[in-house]
Amino acid sequence: MPIGRCLRIVRTTRLFGFQHQKTHYLPVNDCSKSRHKLQLSVLQRRAAGTMATASGINQLLLKLDNLTLDSISEKYPVTHPDINPYDLYRVHVSEVLAPITGVAADKIHPVIQWTNALDKGDFVLPIPALRIKGAKPDALGAEWAAKFPKDDPLFDKPVSQGPFLSFFAKGAPLTQSLIPMIRKLGAEYGQNRFLGLKDPKDPSKGKKRIVVEFSSPNIAKPFHAGHLRSTIIGSFLANLYEGAGWDVVRINYLGDWGKQYGLLALAYERYGDEEALKKDPIDHLFRLYVRINAEKEDDLATIEAKKKEGQDVAELLANSLDEQARRYFRKMTDRDDEALALWKRFRDLSIVRYRATYARLNIKFDEYSGESQVTEEAMEKVAKEMAEKGITKEDQGAVLVDFTELIPGKEGKRLGKTVIRKRDGTALYLTRDIAELLGRYGKYGFDHMIYVVASQQDLHLQQLFKIIELLGYKDIAQRCQHINFGLVLGMSTRKGTVKFLDDILRDCADHMHEVMRKNEAKYAQVEDPEGTADTLGISSVMTQDMSGKRGNNYTFDLAVMTSFEGDTGPYLQYAHTRLSSIKRRADVTDEELANADLSLLTEPHAVNVVRLLAQWPDVAQNTLRTLEPTTVVTYLFRLTHVISSSYDHLQVVGSEPALKAARMALYDASRIVVGNCMRLLGLSPLERM
């Protein structure tokens, strides 16, 4: 069709805030009919017209005659070069290796790995993974390295290292494409929202939904270390899935029901202080509970002593605090208005205080649920269904599940037996959890649900999921996952052994404030020293918690975690504030940064920073597989160390204008990536400190 007889239409789409233009030529006579019938490209269909390609990747595509975004999307549907440049690099090297190796490119592509050490290359091909028969991997590696094109636009000659083939990206193309991409994508760099789509080829089908249950403290009890870990890890996972495009529902399942609340009500009737309750409900209720619980134990000890003496203790037992608490809780379960009103007040005031504490940690919840929200009717329905399906049985008046009879072999023995209802008819936690899980699925229709609960509850969660499966809801059970974690050892506060979260954070903030005061000149420049100290203290706690694998125990060490030496939260904040400081002092405009001559960034230190910045999207995506905060933390420390080691070699202030702009663009991209990593972890990046 002659171009002269066509109307040129430029369709502009937006991907993560950047424009991408695609030109279509239509016959003049057909314009009115066809204007609404233009076919979207593969990438545009996935993006549903809401996202656009960063211009940096186009620079790379110009160097590759045989690849376009559409052709890549068709052949490699799980790749997204427009938001992850290394996806393009993997595709390119696969296509180049295919004729050299005789292995199809789509077979090579999933085998290529990224590395954790820059001296090992940017990518490595483990040759044995290709399963080529009759040839030694070492010999193949040497042969393929020799045949790799010398003038490849993206890679230097690969290095054969035994059964591995290592690939090193050329600095100039990567630098000139990546820095503009990062600066344009900004907070979106590293996020791949396609991953959360139910159908990446048809965004109109919507997002996948995940429910994350985490934190879950007990009202009127200290926010102990286990709840702290659940809070930090759960919030991180929610952020992670949100960045991957999932519809995330954050649930705080409070421990807010049970006989202990009957005991607490009795304590409040005797010793309650209205002003203390309003000022700090959690602290006041806890102190009341400790006091009444001690009295209850003394009461029971006295009754037991009289019983041993042969006295009739029936009346004493009937009027004991323990029995009074039981009767009060029975009033609650019977929906007594007065009893429920007091309990609801305790709960509501506690949630108000929790919200304030969570806000300090940048944590929010979509729902404050709890044991109290599971109705007796829902539990009765579940109990009836389990009985009808032969899952439960009665044993001396109690109702239990005997997995050893229901499931053959080691699995049944491992799950053992568990009581569902006690002899007095009281439903235990497992009954509530079964009803809550099924009710939650009915409410949210989730694609996945994560319980962030300590490893001590491993068996409980395994039993829960297995009962859901035995009930005939295998599909729902398979959507559920338990993310566990180890213990925090040695935690204490200056107030004693009561481990309230506010006490922990206050101690850390006070310590950081003392450290800040030692540098009077810098301290004077900080607008809000108390707020900055609080942020540093929170960063200390959270970074220490996430530095190791979550399944491991760790020792809470205030001196170590608040230090600016070593891999700590304060060090990460220092790294970000230094990058922010360079930008302030350089006095380079955004226009100058956008037009910087990035070809000037030839120093090895500059190229190494760029190589690590390019890894961030891969690290974020890999974290979705590991579900380990330390995957991000480890990368972040590697990145900040490489950035720190570059400062002496890449001076910004004082350099000639063109070089200054180029180096500032590099450090601006670095600031963006460091900030993105920190925010994913739940940290608030500081600009000054």
Side-chain angles (χ1 to χ4, degrees):
M1 183 186 305
I3 293 296
R5 292 183 54 80
C6 296
L7 174 66
R8 180 174 179 268
I9 295 179
V10 178
R11 168 162 292 190
T12 301
T13 58
R14 297 191 67 81
L15 181 57
F16 296 117
F18 309 108
Q19 292 185 346
H20 173 54
Q21 293 183 336
K22 188 174 182 67
T23 303
H24 305 266
Y25 294 95
L26 296 179
V28 172
N29 294 338
D30 293 342
C31 284
S32 61
K33 301 177 188 175
S34 305
R35 184 174 294 119
H36 301 296
K37 296 181 181 179
L38 293 175
Q39 292 295 310
L40 293 176
S41 69
V42 174
L43 177 64
Q44 289 169 320
R45 285 201 303 272
R46 290 191 310 196
T50 61
M51 311 177 195
T53 304
S55 60
I57 207 68
N58 291 330
Q59 297 181 31
L60 293 177
L61 287 169
L62 291 173
K63 300 176 184 293
L64 309 175
D65 297 333
N66 61 331
L67 291 176
T68 66
L69 284 176
D70 285 350
S71 68
I72 292 170
S73 298
E74 288 283 7
K75 189 171 182 179
Y76 305 93
V78 297
T79 63
H80 304 279
D82 44 319
I83 53 177
N84 182 354
Y86 271 175
D87 271 353
L88 175 59
Y89 276 70
R90 275 184 287 266
V91 167
H92 171 66
V93 79
S94 301
E95 295 286 337
V96 173
L97 284 174
I100 295 173
T101 63
V103 179
D106 59 356
K107 302 295 182 188
I108 297 173
H109 182 264
V111 173
I112 295 172
Q113 303 171 354
W114 54 282
T115 69
N116 286 322
L118 294 179
D119 61 341
K120 303 284 193 227
D122 297 289
F123 302 100
V124 63
L125 175 66
I127 297 169
L130 295 175
R131 302 176 183 273
I132 299 175
K133 296 180 180 179
K136 293 184 177 180
D138 299 30
L140 287 175
E143 177 188 337
W144 297 346
K147 291 181 178 179
F148 198 87
K150 292 181 180 179
D151 58 349
D152 186 84
L154 301 188
F155 289 99
D156 292 322
K157 269 277 195 178
V159 178
S160 177
Q161 299 179 339
F164 300 97
L165 201 57
S166 297
F167 297 87
F168 292 79
K170 288 182 175 178
L174 184 62
T175 298
Q176 293 171 43
S177 59
L178 182 71
I179 291 176
M181 175 186 282
I182 293 173
R183 294 195 65 252
K184 288 181 179 179
L185 288 175
E188 293 284 344
Y189 178 66
Q191 298 184 351
N192 186 346
R193 299 192 184 277
F194 293 119
L195 299 174
L197 295 176
K198 290 186 175 181
D199 182 355
K201 293 184 178 181
D202 184 3
S204 68
K205 292 183 179 178
K207 300 178 180 181
K208 292 181 283 189
R209 174 173 287 172
I210 183 170
V211 172
V212 185
E213 178 196 299
F214 64 102
S215 194
S216 305
N218 297 308
I219 287 176
K221 289 188 179 180
F223 196 112
H224 64 64
H227 296 130
L228 174 62
R229 294 215 71 188
S230 174
T231 303
I232 293 171
I233 296 168
S235 179
F236 164 76
L237 292 173
N239 294 342
L240 180 67
Y241 277 95
E242 202 163 57
W246 287 63
D247 175 19
V248 179
V249 179
R250 296 166 170 86
I251 291 182
N252 198 337
Y253 187 64
L254 299 171
D256 63 353
W257 200 245
K259 188 181 72 175
Q260 68 268 31
Y261 293 99
L263 194 61
L264 183 62
L266 295 176
Y268 190 75
E269 287 177 356
R270 294 185 181 188
Y271 314 117
D273 183 319
E274 182 67 18
E275 290 303 314
L277 180 67
K278 289 179 179 178
K279 183 179 179 181
D280 192 339
I282 297 170
D283 180 75
H284 183 57
L285 293 176
F286 173 68
R287 294 181 187 283
L288 290 179
Y289 183 79
V290 169
R291 181 174 180 178
I292 199 74
N293 196 56
E295 290 181 11
K296 182 198 76 171
E297 294 301 320
D298 289 344
D299 195 17
L300 291 175
T302 300
I303 293 172
E304 184 62 26
K306 291 185 176 182
K307 183 179 178 182
K308 287 181 179 179
E309 294 173 0
Q311 297 184 34
D312 182 0
V313 295
E315 187 175 348
L316 290 174
L317 282 171
N319 294 309
S320 67
L321 276 173
D322 191 55
E323 188 56 35
Q324 289 180 56
R326 193 186 309 278
R327 288 197 295 267
Y328 195 99
F329 181 59
R330 176 57 64 185
K331 288 168 64 179
M332 291 168 60
T333 59
D334 290 341
R335 320 311 290 178
D336 178 85
D337 289 342
E338 187 177 341
L340 283 179
L342 182 60
W343 162 83
K344 186 176 185 302
R345 186 153 182 262
F346 290 165
R347 186 182 193 273
D348 291 347
L349 285 170
S350 297
I351 288 175
V352 168
R353 183 58 188 269
Y354 281 139
R355 286 185 194 275
T357 300
Y358 289 130
R360 293 176 67 189
L361 299 169
N362 289 328
I363 291 171
K364 59 184 179 182
F365 288 96
D366 300 292
E367 180 183 345
Y368 281 84
S369 181
E371 296 161 9
S372 64
Q373 306 304 296
V374 184
T375 65
E376 293 292 326
E377 293 77 16
M379 289 190 289
E380 284 293 342
K381 182 181 177 182
V382 164
K384 182 179 179 183
E385 188 175 352
M386 286 194 291
E388 289 173 349
K389 293 182 177 179
I391 298 171
T392 56
K393 68 175 186 179
E394 286 198 26
D395 185 357
Q396 298 180 356
V399 179
L400 56 82
V401 177
D402 187 345
F403 292 100
T404 62
E405 294 179 355
L406 296 169
I407 303 169
K410 292 182 179 179
E411 185 182 8
K413 290 181 180 178
R414 178 175 55 80
L415 292 172
K417 301 178 182 179
T418 184
V419 176
I420 298 294
R421 278 189 182 271
K422 294 196 294 187
R423 278 180 284 186
D424 63 3
T426 304
L428 297 183
Y429 290 118
L430 189 55
T431 314
R432 291 186 181 278
D433 288 345
I434 295 165
E436 169 67 7
L437 192 160
L438 294 175
R440 216 176 265 180
Y441 183 74
K443 180 176 182 179
Y444 292 109
F446 54 79
D447 297 280
H448 194 51
M449 179 161 66
I450 287 176
Y451 292 83
V452 187
V453 184
S455 53
Q456 295 100 311
Q457 298 296 318
D458 283 356
L459 180 60
H460 175 82
L461 271 299
Q462 289 164 9
Q463 291 172 338
L464 170 62
F465 299 158
K466 182 55 66 175
I467 289 173
I468 297 296
E469 184 179 322
L470 291 171
L471 280 167
Y473 307 112
K474 186 174 182 179
D475 176 58
I476 298 176
Q478 290 176 337
R479 296 170 186 236
C480 299
Q481 182 179 9
H482 174 205
I483 295 297
N484 62 10
F485 50 83
L487 302 173
V488 183
L489 309 173
M491 184 182 286
S492 62
T493 72
R494 290 181 302 200
K495 288 190 174 183
T497 59
V498 179
K499 302 173 184 64
F500 285 107
L501 178 59
D502 283 338
D503 291 331
I504 297 166
L505 298 181
R506 189 180 304 114
D507 278 4
C508 292
D510 289 348
H511 185 85
M512 294 312 309
H513 203 177
E514 291 169 9
V515 172
M516 288 168 59
R517 285 179 182 277
K518 293 177 182 177
N519 189 328
E520 294 182 6
K522 285 190 175 181
Y523 185 82
Q525 297 175 9
V526 179
E527 292 182 7
D528 179 13
E530 287 80 10
T532 299
D534 190 52
T535 299
L536 285 169
I538 290 168
S539 299
S540 303
V541 173
M542 296 178 73
T543 303
Q544 185 181 51
D545 192 279
M546 294 185 282
S547 291
K549 287 198 171 182
R550 54 181 164 74
N552 297 340
N553 300 340
Y554 76 88
T555 300
F556 187 90
D557 191 323
L558 188 67
V560 171
M561 63 194 265
T562 54
S563 172
F564 283 93
E565 304 292 330
D567 292 346
T568 65
Y571 172 80
L572 291 178
Q573 291 289 5
Y574 169 76
H576 187 269
T577 55
R578 184 165 184 182
L579 287 166
S580 301
S581 172
I582 292 172
K583 187 173 184 181
R584 287 194 300 272
R585 291 187 294 113
D587 193 26
V588 179
T589 67
D590 286 341
E591 184 179 357
E592 289 172 324
L593 291 177
N595 296 317
D597 182 0
L598 301 177
S599 67
L600 298 175
L601 297 174
T602 57
E603 301 90 347
H605 284 87
V607 174
N608 282 343
V609 171
V610 170
R611 292 168 67 197
L612 268 176
L613 294 176
Q615 289 183 6
W616 172 229
D618 277 348
V619 172
Q621 191 161 331
N622 185 47
T623 308
L624 277 169
R625 291 188 285 270
T626 67
L627 299 182
E628 289 277 3
T630 188
T631 305
V632 175
V633 173
T634 300
Y635 164 78
L636 184 52
F637 280 123
R638 285 177 56 227
L639 174 61
T640 51
H641 292 327
V642 170
I643 292 170
S644 179
S645 68
S646 74
Y647 288 137
D648 290 340
H649 305 272
L650 305 174
Q651 185 177 343
V652 176
V653 179
S655 297
E656 59 92 11
L659 188 59
K660 179 168 117 172
R663 288 175 174 174
M664 189 61 251
L666 170 66
Y667 286 134
D668 192 43
S670 301
R671 177 188 59 81
I672 290 168
V673 176
V674 170
N676 289 354
C677 293
M678 292 176 71
R679 280 183 285 270
L680 176 59
L681 293 168
L683 308 179
S684 298
L686 291 169
E687 300 291 323
R688 297 175 185 267
M689 57 182 276

